Amino acid sequence: MASRRQKAVDDGEQSLIGSPSAAGGDLPDQDASTPGFVYVLAFFSALGGFLFGYDTGVVSGAMLLLKEEMNLNALWQELLVSSTVGAAALSALSGGSLNGWLGRRVCILLASFIFGVGGVILSLAPDKVVLLVGRVTVGLGIGIASMTVPVYIAEVSPPHKRGQLVTINSLFITGGQFIASVIDGAFSYMSHDGWRYMLGLSVVPAVLQFVGFLFLPESPRWLLLKGRSQEARQALTRIRGGRNVDEEYDSIRTCIEEEENEPGGGGLVILRIFNHGPTRRALIVGCGLQMFQQLAGINTVMYYSATILQMAGVRDVKRAIWLTAATSATNFVFTLVGIWLVERVGRRKLTLGSLLGTGLSLTVLAVGFLLSAQFSPPTTLHPFDAQNSSCRLYGSCEFCMLDPDCGFCYRENSSRVFDSSCVPVSQASTDHAAWGRCLNQTEETKSPMWAYNYCPTSYSWLVLTGLILYLAFFAPGMGTMPWTVNSEIYPLWARSTGNACSAGVNWIFNVLVSLTFLHVAQYLTYYGAFFMYSGLVALGLLFVLGCLPETQGLQLEDVENLFTGPLCSCGASSSTHNHVQYTRVNGSNYLPSDNDASDVE
């Protein structure tokens, strides 16, 4: 043990001499020595992120077709969206235990298999109940993948590439959303069952990931944790391209042995996290970031983007779907910007700037809907309603639109809307009225127009601008940093469980936001809902300002030291951490008193 301790001291001294700030000339050599196999591992792993993104993006366009073909009301639309994220929340929370029991590789294989089965069920679903079963099945696979993939990539990546490769998983998420929106646009021209292809094509990347991981190695660290030393060395040698791995292998083994010998090292990992001050604070920060990522409304925008555009007055379903593709492309491009900025600006500044811009763009979205409501066309005709429905009571399109049982029937010319009425929607399909002049829709220019879930407005350009600005600000920071930061801030013994907890929080709030959006919009109006999201972003800005330290330039072993002080001091001391290089003393990354605010300033 003494020789290992001395070796750790030598390693610490060497890291001081060859730190990035002092030996910038070594970085190109590090980049040049990165084996290509690491990128293969990252690609097949990040396909889990692609599946996550594809499902998020594809349901937006598919829902426009499903609600017409299956006559889905607001509750069923929300169920089909939120059932997936609800199942993902449960499987993500259980993913920590599964990772410890089965290993990272097997969990990713399991996730891709479950997702593939769910895709088959969705493509063949005869009714909305089976469709719901398929959505739940897909969610179980996504949840396991969402917490396992960042952990696996972090554990197999060389230290100087870890941050970049983990962030690539976020790039694949946005790439999946973009591809999904293009698929939505392509199949929106089918007269029937186009949604089956939209949802069913998710089987392709799931099968690709499953087949790929049949030939890829397990995480060497997990193998060492299970005492399978020979397999761990073979896996590490393969990942590092056949190079000598003795030093890295010994370092991992020493770290594991020290964790096992640490006082209080036994028992449930989650209880150790709660009892260990720095890790507990890190978990609060990690879960807080994931919570505010969802409370900023990102998956409301992605799940319902096509519907939001219709609400803003984009009438044609196909046009709304293709405009959704434009928003997904914006998300993808600005995620690339985030990968470029993360090591130049730092995690903390990038997140703060992202939140500030996100709040402002949500305000633009809200103002767009507010102006649409203020100048909503009035109802000028009040036809006799034998059913005595509430639709006849509404004096404008705005209030008519907020009632899911009503639609707006009108004529228009180049300058105004006229001969307008609010009438009940057909129970068979929302694309026409239950009775009256909008019952049988034709393509003739003189026939009245039917609007369900939106109003004719001249302010749709403002809503589209707000959407694009929102994604441009959200994607580089809040879109990527919660996942990147969570892969960095936990010590090795808590990394799997910490990521499972934070991913579970992400999915739980994903459920909360997606399940309530349409109902919140009905009670607060659409502009009220987006003003509410803007206020939640302001709270997130205060949280990050006070609690998120800067981890840029620090070794993973040193990040824990950022959380040794009181939680609210993290942000205040981040400027100091930018200029301090922490070192491991005697090979240990634990301070003498883990739960006290130590003398690390």
Side-chain angles (χ1 to χ4, degrees):
M1 188 69 180
S3 62
R4 285 197 296 268
R5 290 282 187 183
Q6 183 59 47
K7 186 178 187 320
V9 172
D10 294 340
D11 291 344
E13 292 172 352
Q14 189 175 17
S15 70
L16 264 179
I17 297 170
S19 64
S21 59
D26 291 341
L27 289 176
D29 295 336
Q30 287 180 319
D31 290 338
S33 65
T34 303
F37 190 58
V38 170
Y39 296 101
V40 174
L41 288 174
F43 170 79
F44 280 99
S45 302
L47 282 174
F50 182 90
L51 290 170
F52 175 9
Y54 185 88
D55 178 80
T56 304
V58 79
V59 73
S60 175
M63 199 58 64
L64 292 176
L65 304 181
L66 278 168
K67 70 183 181 184
E68 294 181 3
E69 288 193 29
M70 292 193 175
N71 190 30
L72 302 177
N73 57 27
L75 177 61
W76 265 99
Q77 289 181 57
E78 289 174 341
L79 274 176
L80 289 174
V81 171
S82 59
S83 59
T84 298
V85 291
L90 293 176
S91 61
L93 287 170
S94 64
S97 299
L98 284 175
N99 268 254
W101 176 40
L102 299 174
R104 290 41 162 152
R105 174 178 174 270
V106 174
C107 279
I108 293 175
L109 282 168
L110 178 64
S112 56
F113 175 78
I114 293 174
F115 198 103
V117 171
V120 172
I121 294 174
L122 288 172
S123 64
L124 301 176
D127 54 47
K128 59 188 177 184
V129 176
V130 177
L131 198 66
L132 182 62
V133 172
R135 295 289 294 162
V136 170
T137 305
V138 164
L140 293 174
I142 291 177
I144 296 172
S146 68
M147 66 79 40
T148 306
V149 167
V151 172
Y152 182 81
I153 295 177
E155 291 186 346
V156 301
S157 301
H160 64 283
K161 283 287 185 182
R162 184 178 290 115
Q164 182 187 38
L165 291 176
V166 172
T167 306
I168 284 176
N169 183 55
S170 298
L171 179 68
F172 271 56
I173 293 175
T174 57
Q177 291 169 340
F178 173 63
I179 295 298
S181 62
V182 173
I183 295 293
D184 281 349
F187 286 102
S188 66
Y189 293 95
M190 292 186 64
S191 58
H192 187 65
D193 284 346
W195 58 269
R196 294 186 185 277
Y197 297 94
M198 295 176 185
L199 299 174
L201 281 173
S202 61
V203 173
V204 175
V207 170
L208 180 61
Q209 185 182 48
F210 184 86
V211 173
F213 260 86
L214 290 176
F215 304 97
L216 296 178
E218 178 57 85
S219 162
R221 187 180 187 287
W222 182 83
L223 292 170
L224 272 172
L225 278 171
K226 296 299 179 181
R228 295 155 64 175
S229 303
Q230 185 175 358
E231 292 177 61
R233 182 182 288 275
Q234 291 173 350
L236 188 61
T237 301
R238 185 182 174 194
I239 292 169
R240 297 293 177 256
R243 297 183 176 88
N244 191 306
V245 296
D246 290 343
E247 185 175 350
E248 184 177 2
Y249 176 84
D250 290 341
S251 175
I252 296 173
R253 186 180 63 182
T254 300
C255 184
I256 292 174
E257 290 175 353
E258 288 172 354
E259 289 173 5
E260 291 173 347
N261 295 329
E262 190 71 21
L268 290 173
V269 175
I270 190 65
L271 295 181
R272 289 181 63 192
I273 291 176
F274 289 147
N275 292 327
H276 183 244
T279 312
R280 181 178 63 248
R281 297 178 196 111
L283 184 65
I284 292 171
V285 171
C287 290
L289 282 174
Q290 296 284 26
M291 177 184 72
F292 282 111
Q293 184 191 67
Q294 293 304 318
L295 291 180
I298 179 58
N299 280 314
T300 291
V301 170
M302 297 312 299
Y303 288 142
Y304 296 108
S305 54
T307 302
I308 289 170
L309 288 168
Q310 279 194 318
M311 293 171 186
V314 179
R315 300 161 195 167
D316 183 64
V317 170
K318 298 179 182 65
R319 183 180 299 174
I321 289 175
W322 282 114
L323 285 173
T324 300
T327 61
S328 298
T330 303
N331 198 20
F332 177 74
V333 169
F334 281 93
T335 300
L336 285 171
V337 173
I339 292 176
W340 182 76
L341 285 175
V342 64
E343 297 298 344
R344 292 168 173 81
V345 176
R347 282 74 159 149
R348 177 179 161 82
K349 289 181 180 178
L350 188 56
T351 305
L352 286 171
S354 174
L355 281 167
L356 183 61
T358 297
L360 293 174
S361 54
L362 280 170
T363 303
V364 172
L365 260 175
V367 168
F369 280 110
L370 177 60
L371 290 173
S372 297
Q374 292 292 325
F375 297 96
S376 178
T379 54
T380 58
L381 301 178
H382 298 276
F384 174 74
D385 186 352
Q387 300 174 351
N388 200 28
S389 71
S390 60
C391 302
R392 61 188 176 85
L393 302 176
Y394 300 127
S396 70
C397 180
E398 172 69 11
F399 296 106
C400 180
M401 174 189 59
L402 291 173
D403 190 331
D405 295 324
C406 304
F408 194 66
C409 184
Y410 66 98
R411 297 179 189 274
E412 70 173 352
N413 54 30
S414 58
S415 61
R416 67 187 181 93
V417 171
F418 61 96
D419 288 350
S420 56
S421 59
C422 183
V423 294
V425 66
S426 170
Q427 295 299 310
S429 174
T430 58
D431 62 356
H432 58 80
W435 47 263
R437 57 199 178 119
C438 282
L439 172 60
N440 297 312
Q441 291 292 286
T442 66
E443 299 296 326
E444 295 179 13
T445 56
K446 293 183 179 181
S447 65
M449 304 186 72
W450 171 251
Y452 179 74
N453 212 29
Y454 70 90
C455 287
T457 178
S458 58
Y459 292 101
S460 56
W461 65 270
L462 188 58
V463 175
L464 182 58
T465 300
L467 272 177
I468 293 176
L469 284 175
Y470 174 87
L471 294 171
F473 281 110
F474 184 91
M478 283 303 289
T480 58
M481 289 305 100
W483 301 102
T484 301
V485 170
N486 270 283
S487 73
E488 296 176 327
I489 59 178
Y490 306 111
L492 292 174
W493 60 268
R495 186 170 298 147
S496 205
T497 301
N499 274 276
C501 289
S502 62
V505 167
N506 183 291
W507 287 109
I508 288 170
F509 279 89
N510 192 324
V511 173
L512 178 66
V513 172
S514 60
L515 185 61
T516 58
F517 170 66
L518 293 180
H519 284 96
V520 167
Q522 287 174 19
Y523 287 106
L524 297 181
T525 71
Y526 293 108
Y527 60 85
F530 285 106
F531 275 129
M532 181 189 74
Y533 290 140
S534 184
L536 292 172
V537 167
L539 293 178
L541 186 65
L542 294 176
F543 174 80
V544 170
L545 195 62
C547 298
L548 179 64
E550 181 56 73
T551 60
Q552 181 187 14
L554 295 178
Q555 298 292 328
L556 284 180
E557 293 81 5
D558 300 325
V559 172
E560 187 181 3
N561 293 327
L562 299 178
F563 297 95
T564 54
L567 182 62
C568 292
S569 67
C570 290
S573 59
S574 64
S575 59
T576 303
H577 294 139
N578 284 335
H579 306 289
V580 175
Q581 176 69 42
Y582 293 98
T583 57
R584 294 173 63 185
V585 179
N586 293 332
S588 176
N589 62 321
Y590 296 97
L591 297 176
S593 178
D594 291 326
N595 294 296
D596 297 332
S598 70
D599 58 353
V600 178
E601 295 290 346

